[in-house]
Amino acid sequence: MRAEVGVLRQAAALGINYGQVANNLPTPPQVVQLLSSLRIGKVRIYDVNPQVLSAFAGTDIELIVTVPDDLVPGMAASASQALQWLTAGVRPYFPATRVTGIAVGNEVFTGDDEQLKASLVPAMRNLHAALAQLGMDAYVRVSTANSLAVLATSYPPSQGVFTQDAAPYMAQLLRFLADTSAPFWINAYPYFAYKDDPTKVSLDYALSNPSHVGAVDPYTHLQYTSMLYAQVDAVTFAAARLGYGNVPVHVSETGWPSKGDANEAGATVENARQYNRNLLMRQISGEGTPLRPKLRLEVYLFALFNEDMKPGPTSERNYGLYQPDMSMVYNVGLNQQATTSAASLSSLATSPASRRDVRKDFAGLCLVTSLAILLITQALLL
């Protein structure tokens, strides 16, 4: 019994993305009841839907809300617009609804809108100032979710470096995150690396199977049995090269589709179940990355439901733990109990995604010497 309680507490540390690009989803109160029965403790949404925010009141579930891309330039240009958005969309529900984070835009730095890129950090600064004005800055962190494509190199992890286009923006972003004690959020999907090259990328490594021998970084000699954890450490190394190795890196989205088109290798129910099972078990054990082994990696799965109105290939509509009728897509390991709000863990599973991540293996590209890498690693491990 004691072990089961420990599992439930760890499950509460797991986050999940609650997307709503569908026309057949259950009501927000029904969703909150489902999440509470599963003891999911952290949720990310992609707007500030009043019905959703109201439904989460009194649950103690931590909630990340989102500023959509189209509002970012206005917030950057006007501090009053940032304050108005916060006052109208978040403040009325706080603190009854436990908003702990605001994601400003989504994968902005890998898009094509140069004005949006230039506006992002100024908008974040104005939003943080508005939080301080309302006395909320000690409780709510401001960040933005980035695609893994902000990295020019992600393997081996010690060679992680931002692209030339992204680096100037990353320096501004990381400075803001360090000043406000906020995390760097990354959307990372090992599924894409496997799908793009299934003959060369190990499926066990992409699925984070713990029994897999994994890969050893030739510069740090750290062993990686999980591609996801390697991707996170690559971001940490890239941030360290800009002088911000102490900014924590959290996974804002990750997952594996349970169904795909004929050309989408690996998009199966069994792989989705295995990926999420392995990830949950790592969460339960409090596992950190090889670079930061004592700091449990914070992860948000994508997504709670299959969303039937998502554009793109079949996989985009099949990342959910649940169907819209709240039946399991497959046996996920977090099982509801009908008469209590407890959850029991049996196997596990589920999946997220919709954002593109890119893994570029330029093993021969070394931007720093081996000695410099060693010094960075030692500093990060302290």
Side-chain angles (χ1 to χ4, degrees):
M1 178 64 179
R2 186 174 300 172
E4 184 183 47
V5 171
V7 165
L8 298 182
R9 287 176 179 170
Q10 289 292 349
L14 184 69
I16 197 163
N17 287 273
Y18 169 22
Q20 300 174 71
V21 187
N23 58 11
N24 54 357
L25 296 179
T27 65
Q30 290 174 320
V31 172
V32 169
Q33 184 176 13
L34 173 64
L35 292 166
S36 297
S37 73
L38 296 173
R39 288 291 178 91
I40 298 295
K42 299 180 180 183
V43 174
R44 178 184 173 213
I45 62 174
Y46 293 86
D47 52 23
V48 284
N49 184 316
Q51 292 180 324
V52 174
L53 288 170
S54 296
F56 277 90
T59 64
D60 205 36
I61 295 174
E62 296 182 17
L63 197 64
I64 294 174
V65 299
T66 301
V67 177
D69 288 356
D70 62 322
L71 295 184
V72 171
M75 282 192 183
S78 170
S80 62
Q81 285 196 31
L83 179 61
Q84 181 180 6
W85 181 88
L86 191 62
T87 302
V90 179
R91 184 65 184 90
Y93 309 96
F94 180 87
T97 296
R98 195 178 172 195
V99 177
T100 58
I102 300 176
V104 183
N106 192 50
E107 300 190 348
V108 168
F109 293 129
T110 46
D112 299 324
D113 190 329
E114 297 302 321
Q115 181 192 8
L116 182 60
K117 293 178 187 179
S119 298
L120 185 58
V121 175
M124 294 170 70
R125 290 197 190 103
N126 282 342
L127 194 54
H128 179 75
L131 285 167
Q133 186 173 339
L134 295 175
M136 299 169 62
D137 57 310
Y139 309 97
V140 184
R141 297 288 179 258
V142 177
S143 189
T144 186
N146 297 279
S147 164
L148 196 68
V150 295
L151 294 182
T153 306
S154 64
Y155 185 83
S158 63
Q159 295 296 295
V161 63
F162 293 116
T163 66
Q164 289 186 348
D165 289 340
Y169 297 114
M170 290 295 113
Q172 297 176 36
L173 172 63
L174 287 162
R175 186 181 307 118
F176 169 81
L177 298 179
D179 289 345
T180 60
S181 300
F184 186 102
W185 286 332
I186 191 76
N187 296 342
Y189 294 96
Y191 162 71
F192 288 118
Y194 177 76
K195 177 185 74 71
D196 290 344
D197 200 353
T199 62
K200 293 183 179 179
V201 176
S202 166
L203 180 60
D204 283 332
Y205 183 49
L207 293 175
S208 296
N209 282 334
S211 59
H212 181 56
V213 65
V216 176
D217 189 308
Y219 299 96
T220 63
H221 305 295
L222 294 174
Q223 183 171 13
Y224 290 87
T225 59
S226 165
M227 183 185 292
L228 176 66
Y229 282 50
Q231 291 171 336
V232 169
D233 277 355
V235 175
T236 301
F237 271 104
R241 286 190 167 86
L242 296 180
Y244 296 98
N246 290 328
V247 172
V249 178
H250 296 173
V251 179
S252 42
E253 289 182 16
T254 191
W256 199 285
S258 59
K259 185 179 180 181
D261 294 322
N263 63 345
E264 295 186 289
T268 68
V269 167
E270 177 54 29
N271 285 343
R273 187 195 71 83
Q274 190 68 26
Y275 181 79
N276 289 284
R277 178 178 187 275
N278 291 335
L279 187 55
L280 182 58
M281 298 309 293
R282 289 174 187 266
Q283 290 282 294
I284 289 170
S285 68
E287 182 179 343
T289 69
L291 189 59
R292 289 174 168 167
K294 297 181 180 180
L295 184 64
R296 183 186 61 81
L297 179 62
E298 183 164 312
V299 176
Y300 284 75
L301 298 179
F302 187 98
L304 184 57
F305 295 107
N306 281 343
E307 299 170 66
D308 67 342
M309 295 180 67
K310 274 188 170 295
T314 297
S315 61
E316 290 294 322
R317 294 175 289 282
N318 288 277
Y319 278 95
L321 286 158
Y322 286 86
Q323 299 286 6
D325 64 3
M326 295 202 295
S327 63
M328 287 182 180
V329 174
Y330 47 89
N331 184 11
V332 353
L334 291 173
N335 297 323
Q336 294 174 261
Q337 292 187 359
T339 58
T340 73
S341 61
S344 62
L345 182 72
S346 50
S347 47
L348 182 166
T350 280
S351 155
S354 114
R355 305 297 175 195
R356 190 97 182 174
D357 78 16
V358 179
R359 181 176 181 263
K360 297 184 178 180
D361 295 350
F362 297 129
L365 177 61
C366 299
L367 300 183
V368 295
T369 66
S370 297
L371 177 58
I373 294 172
L374 178 60
L375 292 174
I376 291 173
T377 303
Q378 290 175 336
L380 291 171
L381 287 170
L382 291 178

